[in-house]
Structure formats: structure tokens, C-alpha cells
């Protein structure tokens, strides 16, 4: 009877570990994406010649 419980316990543990690994992986992907988006918003984009793009810097062309 204890053999059955041990096997079940090991399977439960392995299943739980797999779920946790998967959740951690998804969380890391989501956090990396958020960090990239924040970095893209924080840095004003530049044209090829190195000048700031007026639209993204919040300046008007008037």
C-alpha cells in the first residue's frame, strides 16, 4: 500500500513541478516583453542621421 502512495506522491510532485516550470517560463516571457515595451517608450526614436524623430519626441512641426 505504501508503494502505491509513494508512486502517486512522486507523480503528483512531478506534475506540480512541471506546472510550476511552465508558469515560471510564461511569467518570464511576459516580464521580458513588458520590459522591452517600457524601454521602447522611454527612449525617443531617432532617424538614420541621428536626429530625433519629432513625432515621437512630442514636438510639432510648426
Amino acid at each position: 500500500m505504501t508503494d502505491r502512495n509513494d508512486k502517486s506522491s512522486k507523480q503528483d510532485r512531478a506534475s506540480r513541478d512541471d506546472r510550476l516550470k511552465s508558469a515560471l517560463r510564461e511569467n518570464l516571457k511576459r516580464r521580458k516583453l513588458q520590459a522591452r515595451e517600457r524601454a521602447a517608450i522611454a527612449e525617443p526614436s531617432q532617424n538614420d542621421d541621428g536626429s530625433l524623430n519629432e513625432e515621437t519626441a512630442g514636438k510639432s512641426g510648426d
Side-chain angles (χ1 to χ4, degrees):
M1 190 173 209
T2 58
D3 290 337
R4 191 183 282 175
N5 288 338
D6 288 342
K7 288 180 183 178
S8 177
S9 174
K10 288 178 184 179
Q11 287 176 346
D12 290 343
R13 176 76 176 178
S15 176
R16 180 176 183 267
D17 287 346
D18 289 343
R19 287 194 315 267
L20 288 174
K21 286 178 189 177
S22 178
L24 286 171
R25 230 179 276 120
E26 292 301 318
N27 187 27
L28 181 61
K29 287 179 188 178
R30 185 173 56 250
R31 291 180 63 179
K32 282 185 176 182
L33 178 61
Q34 289 173 344
R36 283 188 215 117
E37 290 173 349
R38 288 183 185 130
I41 292 171
E43 297 176 11
S45 66
Q46 294 183 352
N47 293 332
D48 290 338
D49 62 359
S51 64
L52 288 176
N53 185 347
E54 292 179 359
E55 292 175 7
T56 59
K59 297 180 182 178
S60 65
D62 293 329

